[in-house]
Amino acid sequence: MAGPDHLVMCRAACDRAEQDFPYGAVDQLLRRLPPGTTGLGELVHALTPTASPFAVGADLLDVLAAVADTAPLAVLVDDVPWADDHSLKALAFVLRRCYAERLLVVLTARTPGTVGSDVP
């Protein structure tokens, strides 16, 4: 785990081909967090298609806060428009409730007409 002056980063790369994979983006984020983080293993196993995005979001907020208590945390979600609906709802839940956590969230979206973009 990083020291208090080191940034911890987790990243998810969303893909149109995985939009039907519930919690695919959240799963990617969780698997890039420090092993042993409080609640991490339980949340990874709770990511089922029937899990409530709000319950997952609440647990995700707790896990991210646990990491941010030990070091600043950056969360990067690339190509957000291609994220699965379950992950989007869980992440929105988290973002509406971040108040004092040492957390930087970066969301990216491709611009129509850019190189490598399938966006018309």
Side-chain angles (χ1 to χ4, degrees), residues 74-111:
V75 176
L76 169 63
V77 183
D78 194 24
D79 290 327
V80 170
W82 293 342
D84 63 279
D85 192 51
H86 287 74
S87 290
L88 289 174
K89 288 178 180 175
L91 289 168
F93 182 94
V94 168
L95 294 175
R96 288 191 300 270
R97 287 162 179 82
C98 289
Y99 302 115
E101 292 80 6
R102 296 184 305 166
L103 179 64
L104 169 69
V105 178
V106 178
L107 308 173
T108 71
R110 293 176 191 245
T111 304

Short mmCIF file of all heavy atoms in Angstrom, two decimals, residues 74-111:
data_model
loop_
_atom_site.label_atom_id
_atom_site.label_comp_id
_atom_site.label_asym_id
_atom_site.label_seq_id
_atom_site.Cartn_x
_atom_site.Cartn_y
_atom_site.Cartn_z
N ALA A 74 -6.80 8.36 -6.82
CA ALA A 74 -7.29 8.84 -8.12
C ALA A 74 -8.05 7.69 -8.78
O ALA A 74 -7.55 6.56 -8.85
CB ALA A 74 -6.14 9.28 -9.01
N VAL A 75 -9.25 7.98 -9.24
CA VAL A 75 -10.09 7.01 -9.93
C VAL A 75 -10.28 7.52 -11.35
O VAL A 75 -10.79 8.62 -11.56
CB VAL A 75 -11.46 6.85 -9.24
CG1 VAL A 75 -12.36 5.92 -10.02
CG2 VAL A 75 -11.27 6.36 -7.81
N LEU A 76 -9.87 6.73 -12.33
CA LEU A 76 -9.99 7.11 -13.73
C LEU A 76 -10.93 6.12 -14.43
O LEU A 76 -10.72 4.91 -14.35
CB LEU A 76 -8.63 7.08 -14.43
CG LEU A 76 -8.63 7.20 -15.95
CD1 LEU A 76 -9.19 8.55 -16.39
CD2 LEU A 76 -7.23 6.99 -16.51
N VAL A 77 -11.95 6.65 -15.07
CA VAL A 77 -12.86 5.82 -15.86
C VAL A 77 -12.80 6.36 -17.28
O VAL A 77 -13.24 7.48 -17.56
CB VAL A 77 -14.30 5.83 -15.30
CG1 VAL A 77 -15.18 4.90 -16.13
CG2 VAL A 77 -14.32 5.43 -13.84
N ASP A 78 -12.24 5.56 -18.16
CA ASP A 78 -12.03 5.95 -19.55
C ASP A 78 -13.21 5.49 -20.41
O ASP A 78 -13.71 4.38 -20.24
CB ASP A 78 -10.73 5.30 -20.04
CG ASP A 78 -10.24 5.89 -21.34
OD1 ASP A 78 -10.58 7.05 -21.67
OD2 ASP A 78 -9.50 5.19 -22.04
N ASP A 79 -13.65 6.35 -21.31
CA ASP A 79 -14.76 6.06 -22.23
C ASP A 79 -16.07 5.77 -21.49
O ASP A 79 -16.75 4.78 -21.73
CB ASP A 79 -14.43 4.90 -23.17
CG ASP A 79 -13.38 5.27 -24.20
OD1 ASP A 79 -13.36 6.45 -24.61
OD2 ASP A 79 -12.59 4.40 -24.60
N VAL A 80 -16.43 6.67 -20.59
CA VAL A 80 -17.63 6.53 -19.75
C VAL A 80 -18.90 6.23 -20.55
O VAL A 80 -19.71 5.42 -20.10
CB VAL A 80 -17.82 7.77 -18.86
CG1 VAL A 80 -19.17 7.77 -18.17
CG2 VAL A 80 -16.72 7.82 -17.82
N PRO A 81 -19.12 6.83 -21.72
CA PRO A 81 -20.36 6.51 -22.44
C PRO A 81 -20.51 5.03 -22.78
O PRO A 81 -21.61 4.57 -23.05
CB PRO A 81 -20.26 7.35 -23.73
CG PRO A 81 -19.38 8.49 -23.35
CD PRO A 81 -18.38 7.90 -22.39
N TRP A 82 -19.42 4.28 -22.75
CA TRP A 82 -19.48 2.86 -23.06
C TRP A 82 -19.53 1.99 -21.81
O TRP A 82 -19.47 0.76 -21.91
CB TRP A 82 -18.30 2.46 -23.95
CG TRP A 82 -18.36 3.08 -25.31
CD1 TRP A 82 -19.46 3.64 -25.92
CD2 TRP A 82 -17.30 3.22 -26.23
NE1 TRP A 82 -19.12 4.10 -27.16
CE2 TRP A 82 -17.79 3.86 -27.38
CE3 TRP A 82 -15.96 2.86 -26.20
CZ2 TRP A 82 -17.02 4.14 -28.49
CZ3 TRP A 82 -15.18 3.15 -27.30
CH2 TRP A 82 -15.71 3.78 -28.44
N ALA A 83 -19.64 2.59 -20.64
CA ALA A 83 -19.73 1.82 -19.40
C ALA A 83 -21.09 1.13 -19.31
O ALA A 83 -22.09 1.60 -19.87
CB ALA A 83 -19.53 2.73 -18.20
N ASP A 84 -21.12 0.05 -18.59
CA ASP A 84 -22.39 -0.65 -18.37
C ASP A 84 -23.27 0.15 -17.42
O ASP A 84 -22.78 0.94 -16.60
CB ASP A 84 -22.12 -2.05 -17.80
CG ASP A 84 -21.46 -1.99 -16.44
OD1 ASP A 84 -20.22 -1.80 -16.40
OD2 ASP A 84 -22.17 -2.09 -15.42
N ASP A 85 -24.57 -0.03 -17.54
CA ASP A 85 -25.55 0.74 -16.76
C ASP A 85 -25.39 0.53 -15.26
O ASP A 85 -25.50 1.47 -14.48
CB ASP A 85 -26.96 0.37 -17.21
CG ASP A 85 -28.01 1.32 -16.67
OD1 ASP A 85 -27.83 2.55 -16.83
OD2 ASP A 85 -28.99 0.83 -16.06
N HIS A 86 -25.13 -0.70 -14.83
CA HIS A 86 -24.98 -0.98 -13.39
C HIS A 86 -23.81 -0.17 -12.81
O HIS A 86 -23.94 0.43 -11.74
CB HIS A 86 -24.72 -2.47 -13.17
CG HIS A 86 -25.91 -3.34 -13.36
ND1 HIS A 86 -26.42 -3.64 -14.61
CD2 HIS A 86 -26.70 -4.00 -12.48
CE1 HIS A 86 -27.46 -4.44 -14.48
NE2 HIS A 86 -27.65 -4.68 -13.20
N SER A 87 -22.68 -0.16 -13.51
CA SER A 87 -21.52 0.59 -13.03
C SER A 87 -21.81 2.08 -13.00
O SER A 87 -21.43 2.77 -12.05
CB SER A 87 -20.30 0.33 -13.93
OG SER A 87 -19.83 -0.99 -13.76
N LEU A 88 -22.47 2.59 -14.04
CA LEU A 88 -22.79 4.02 -14.08
C LEU A 88 -23.64 4.43 -12.88
O LEU A 88 -23.39 5.46 -12.25
CB LEU A 88 -23.51 4.38 -15.38
CG LEU A 88 -22.66 4.36 -16.64
CD1 LEU A 88 -23.55 4.58 -17.88
CD2 LEU A 88 -21.57 5.40 -16.57
N LYS A 89 -24.63 3.63 -12.56
CA LYS A 89 -25.50 3.94 -11.41
C LYS A 89 -24.73 3.88 -10.10
O LYS A 89 -24.90 4.73 -9.22
CB LYS A 89 -26.70 3.01 -11.38
CG LYS A 89 -27.69 3.31 -12.48
CD LYS A 89 -28.86 2.33 -12.46
CE LYS A 89 -29.84 2.64 -13.58
NZ LYS A 89 -30.92 1.67 -13.66
N ALA A 90 -23.88 2.87 -9.94
CA ALA A 90 -23.09 2.75 -8.71
C ALA A 90 -22.10 3.91 -8.58
O ALA A 90 -21.96 4.49 -7.49
CB ALA A 90 -22.36 1.41 -8.69
N LEU A 91 -21.43 4.27 -9.67
CA LEU A 91 -20.49 5.39 -9.63
C LEU A 91 -21.19 6.72 -9.37
O LEU A 91 -20.68 7.56 -8.63
CB LEU A 91 -19.69 5.45 -10.93
CG LEU A 91 -18.67 4.32 -11.13
CD1 LEU A 91 -18.15 4.32 -12.55
CD2 LEU A 91 -17.53 4.45 -10.13
N ALA A 92 -22.36 6.91 -9.96
CA ALA A 92 -23.13 8.14 -9.70
C ALA A 92 -23.49 8.23 -8.22
O ALA A 92 -23.42 9.31 -7.62
CB ALA A 92 -24.38 8.18 -10.58
N PHE A 93 -23.88 7.10 -7.63
CA PHE A 93 -24.19 7.06 -6.20
C PHE A 93 -22.97 7.53 -5.40
O PHE A 93 -23.09 8.35 -4.49
CB PHE A 93 -24.59 5.64 -5.81
CG PHE A 93 -24.98 5.49 -4.37
CD1 PHE A 93 -26.31 5.58 -3.99
CD2 PHE A 93 -24.02 5.25 -3.39
CE1 PHE A 93 -26.67 5.45 -2.65
CE2 PHE A 93 -24.37 5.11 -2.07
CZ PHE A 93 -25.70 5.22 -1.69
N VAL A 94 -21.79 7.01 -5.74
CA VAL A 94 -20.56 7.38 -5.04
C VAL A 94 -20.28 8.87 -5.19
O VAL A 94 -20.00 9.57 -4.21
CB VAL A 94 -19.37 6.55 -5.55
CG1 VAL A 94 -18.04 7.11 -5.06
CG2 VAL A 94 -19.52 5.09 -5.15
N LEU A 95 -20.35 9.36 -6.42
CA LEU A 95 -19.99 10.76 -6.67
C LEU A 95 -20.92 11.74 -5.96
O LEU A 95 -20.48 12.83 -5.57
CB LEU A 95 -19.97 11.03 -8.17
CG LEU A 95 -18.86 10.29 -8.93
CD1 LEU A 95 -19.00 10.52 -10.42
CD2 LEU A 95 -17.49 10.72 -8.43
N ARG A 96 -22.17 11.37 -5.80
CA ARG A 96 -23.10 12.25 -5.08
C ARG A 96 -22.84 12.28 -3.59
O ARG A 96 -23.37 13.13 -2.88
CB ARG A 96 -24.55 11.79 -5.33
CG ARG A 96 -25.06 12.08 -6.72
CD ARG A 96 -26.57 11.85 -6.82
NE ARG A 96 -26.95 10.48 -6.50
CZ ARG A 96 -27.03 9.50 -7.40
NH1 ARG A 96 -26.74 9.73 -8.67
NH2 ARG A 96 -27.40 8.29 -7.04
N ARG A 97 -22.00 11.38 -3.08
CA ARG A 97 -21.79 11.27 -1.65
C ARG A 97 -20.34 11.49 -1.20
O ARG A 97 -20.02 11.27 -0.05
CB ARG A 97 -22.29 9.91 -1.18
CG ARG A 97 -23.80 9.90 -1.18
CD ARG A 97 -24.37 8.51 -1.15
NE ARG A 97 -25.83 8.57 -1.14
CZ ARG A 97 -26.58 8.74 -2.22
NH1 ARG A 97 -26.02 8.86 -3.40
NH2 ARG A 97 -27.90 8.79 -2.13
N CYS A 98 -19.48 11.91 -2.08
CA CYS A 98 -18.10 12.22 -1.70
C CYS A 98 -18.06 13.62 -1.08
O CYS A 98 -18.39 14.60 -1.76
CB CYS A 98 -17.18 12.17 -2.92
SG CYS A 98 -16.92 10.52 -3.53
N TYR A 99 -17.67 13.68 0.18
CA TYR A 99 -17.64 14.98 0.86
C TYR A 99 -16.24 15.34 1.34
O TYR A 99 -15.79 16.45 1.10
CB TYR A 99 -18.61 14.98 2.04
CG TYR A 99 -20.03 14.66 1.65
CD1 TYR A 99 -20.65 13.50 2.09
CD2 TYR A 99 -20.74 15.49 0.80
CE1 TYR A 99 -21.94 13.20 1.73
CE2 TYR A 99 -22.04 15.19 0.43
CZ TYR A 99 -22.64 14.04 0.89
OH TYR A 99 -23.91 13.73 0.53
N ALA A 100 -15.58 14.43 2.02
CA ALA A 100 -14.29 14.77 2.62
C ALA A 100 -13.18 13.80 2.24
O ALA A 100 -12.07 13.94 2.72
CB ALA A 100 -14.44 14.81 4.15
N GLU A 101 -13.49 12.84 1.39
CA GLU A 101 -12.49 11.85 1.00
C GLU A 101 -11.40 12.49 0.14
O GLU A 101 -11.68 13.39 -0.64
CB GLU A 101 -13.14 10.69 0.22
CG GLU A 101 -14.06 9.83 1.05
CD GLU A 101 -15.45 10.43 1.25
OE1 GLU A 101 -15.75 11.49 0.66
OE2 GLU A 101 -16.21 9.85 2.03
N ARG A 102 -10.18 12.02 0.30
CA ARG A 102 -9.07 12.48 -0.55
C ARG A 102 -9.16 11.69 -1.85
O ARG A 102 -8.46 10.71 -2.06
CB ARG A 102 -7.73 12.27 0.14
CG ARG A 102 -7.61 13.09 1.41
CD ARG A 102 -6.26 12.96 2.05
NE ARG A 102 -5.91 11.57 2.32
CZ ARG A 102 -4.68 11.18 2.63
NH1 ARG A 102 -3.69 12.03 2.68
NH2 ARG A 102 -4.43 9.90 2.87
N LEU A 103 -10.04 12.15 -2.72
CA LEU A 103 -10.40 11.39 -3.90
C LEU A 103 -10.48 12.31 -5.11
O LEU A 103 -11.17 13.33 -5.08
CB LEU A 103 -11.76 10.72 -3.65
CG LEU A 103 -12.37 9.88 -4.75
CD1 LEU A 103 -11.52 8.66 -5.05
CD2 LEU A 103 -13.77 9.43 -4.33
N LEU A 104 -9.77 11.95 -6.16
CA LEU A 104 -9.86 12.63 -7.45
C LEU A 104 -10.50 11.66 -8.42
O LEU A 104 -10.05 10.52 -8.54
CB LEU A 104 -8.46 13.01 -7.95
CG LEU A 104 -8.37 13.49 -9.41
CD1 LEU A 104 -9.03 14.86 -9.56
CD2 LEU A 104 -6.92 13.53 -9.87
N VAL A 105 -11.55 12.10 -9.09
CA VAL A 105 -12.23 11.25 -10.07
C VAL A 105 -12.11 11.92 -11.44
O VAL A 105 -12.43 13.10 -11.59
CB VAL A 105 -13.71 11.05 -9.71
CG1 VAL A 105 -14.41 10.21 -10.76
CG2 VAL A 105 -13.84 10.40 -8.33
N VAL A 106 -11.62 11.15 -12.41
CA VAL A 106 -11.49 11.65 -13.78
C VAL A 106 -12.31 10.72 -14.68
O VAL A 106 -12.10 9.51 -14.69
CB VAL A 106 -10.01 11.66 -14.24
CG1 VAL A 106 -9.91 12.12 -15.69
CG2 VAL A 106 -9.17 12.52 -13.32
N LEU A 107 -13.24 11.31 -15.39
CA LEU A 107 -14.08 10.57 -16.34
C LEU A 107 -13.78 11.10 -17.73
O LEU A 107 -13.74 12.31 -17.92
CB LEU A 107 -15.56 10.77 -16.01
CG LEU A 107 -15.99 10.51 -14.57
CD1 LEU A 107 -17.44 10.92 -14.36
CD2 LEU A 107 -15.78 9.07 -14.19
N THR A 108 -13.57 10.21 -18.68
CA THR A 108 -13.29 10.66 -20.04
C THR A 108 -14.34 10.14 -21.00
O THR A 108 -14.98 9.12 -20.75
CB THR A 108 -11.90 10.20 -20.54
OG1 THR A 108 -11.91 8.80 -20.76
CG2 THR A 108 -10.80 10.59 -19.56
N ALA A 109 -14.50 10.88 -22.08
CA ALA A 109 -15.41 10.48 -23.17
C ALA A 109 -14.77 10.90 -24.48
O ALA A 109 -14.16 11.97 -24.57
CB ALA A 109 -16.77 11.14 -23.00
N ARG A 110 -14.92 10.06 -25.48
CA ARG A 110 -14.37 10.40 -26.80
C ARG A 110 -15.22 11.48 -27.45
O ARG A 110 -16.43 11.50 -27.31
CB ARG A 110 -14.34 9.16 -27.68
CG ARG A 110 -13.36 8.14 -27.19
CD ARG A 110 -13.42 6.88 -28.02
NE ARG A 110 -12.68 5.84 -27.37
CZ ARG A 110 -11.58 5.30 -27.87
NH1 ARG A 110 -11.11 5.70 -29.02
NH2 ARG A 110 -10.95 4.35 -27.21
N THR A 111 -14.56 12.31 -28.20
CA THR A 111 -15.23 13.35 -28.94
C THR A 111 -15.50 12.85 -30.35
O THR A 111 -14.63 12.22 -30.97
CB THR A 111 -14.33 14.61 -29.01
OG1 THR A 111 -14.00 14.99 -27.68
CG2 THR A 111 -15.02 15.75 -29.70
#
